[in-house]
Amino acid sequence: MAVSFKRALCTIVVTGTLAGAAGRPVRAQSLEPVAPSAAPNPLSDPTVNNGKILLFDLEARFAKDVLERGGVAFAEWFADDGVALGNGEAPKIGRVAIAKSANWSPKAYRLTWTPTDAVMGPSGDMGYTWGHFEGHSKDANGNPVTTTGRFMTIWRKQRDGNWKVALDAGANEPTAAGDCCKLTPGK
């Protein structure tokens, strides 16, 4: 479910009435997502706080458990009333329904993710993470298949003090989907 994003600058050239006097080109820089790094670095994040650290830690433990135990672990991290929204699938509502659909072994399907960011709510009992995921499996002929996409996880603190997934949503996208702000001159 996630990988953090480094940002690179791309140059956008604007001409015409928005460019200013005499229609001269104006250069502006825009952030463009590029190849994701292995993990976010909270030490270089000016918004880091205890809530964000907690959410990153929850995601790391969740991802490690799923990598080791597969779908069984995936379902166990959900609250009893949790919801899983899969790409193009009907919602799975409740841990029992999620467990029925998350029946993959870690040898057959390898799901990895790293959050890009995390935000804790003001009350400190709910927060969310989002980022990039990769799924690795094999097709019927034994050829490798990789699925990539974005995810969002909403975490909720339970009455017993444990944190569980209240909602997990994923959307597939092509590997190179980060090319958001490249402009071709004259088009």
Side-chain angles (χ1 to χ4, degrees):
M1 291 186 179
V3 171
S4 71
F5 283 88
K6 290 183 179 176
R7 303 268 182 204
L9 295 176
C10 65
T11 301
I12 299 173
V13 177
V14 180
T15 58
T17 58
L18 295 176
R24 289 186 302 246
V26 175
R27 294 191 181 272
Q29 293 182 337
S30 175
L31 293 178
E32 174 186 331
V34 294
S37 68
N41 183 354
L43 298 176
S44 64
D45 181 353
T47 66
V48 72
N49 57 41
N50 289 340
K52 183 177 275 198
I53 290 169
L54 172 68
L55 293 168
F56 273 117
D57 180 61
L58 287 167
E59 281 292 348
R61 291 187 292 134
F62 183 22
K64 182 178 186 273
D65 196 18
V66 170
L67 189 60
E68 291 171 358
R69 300 188 309 123
V72 170
F74 183 80
E76 287 177 2
W77 279 84
F78 279 80
D80 289 338
D81 62 346
V83 177
L85 301 175
N87 198 48
E89 298 176 7
K92 310 295 186 291
I93 301 171
R95 187 180 323 145
V96 172
I98 294 165
K100 286 180 183 177
S101 69
N103 55 8
W104 74 87
S105 79
K107 291 183 181 185
Y109 181 64
R110 186 172 173 243
L111 178 61
T112 60
W113 69 91
T114 304
T116 297
D117 202 1
V119 176
M120 180 65 74
S123 63
D125 62 354
M126 208 165 188
Y128 69 88
T129 57
W130 66 273
H132 178 83
F133 72 86
E134 289 188 7
H136 299 275
S137 61
K138 297 196 183 230
D139 66 15
N141 297 322
N143 299 314
V145 175
T146 299
T147 305
T148 62
R150 308 251 184 232
F151 78 92
M152 177 185 70
T153 303
I154 298 175
W155 292 90
R156 184 177 63 220
K157 191 174 187 178
Q158 305 298 292
R159 289 185 179 152
D160 65 3
N162 288 315
W163 285 82
K164 294 287 187 175
V165 175
L167 182 135
D168 183 77
N172 294 353
E173 68 181 9
T175 305
D179 297 333
C180 69
C181 62
K182 290 183 180 177
L183 297 178
T184 307
K187 290 190 178 182

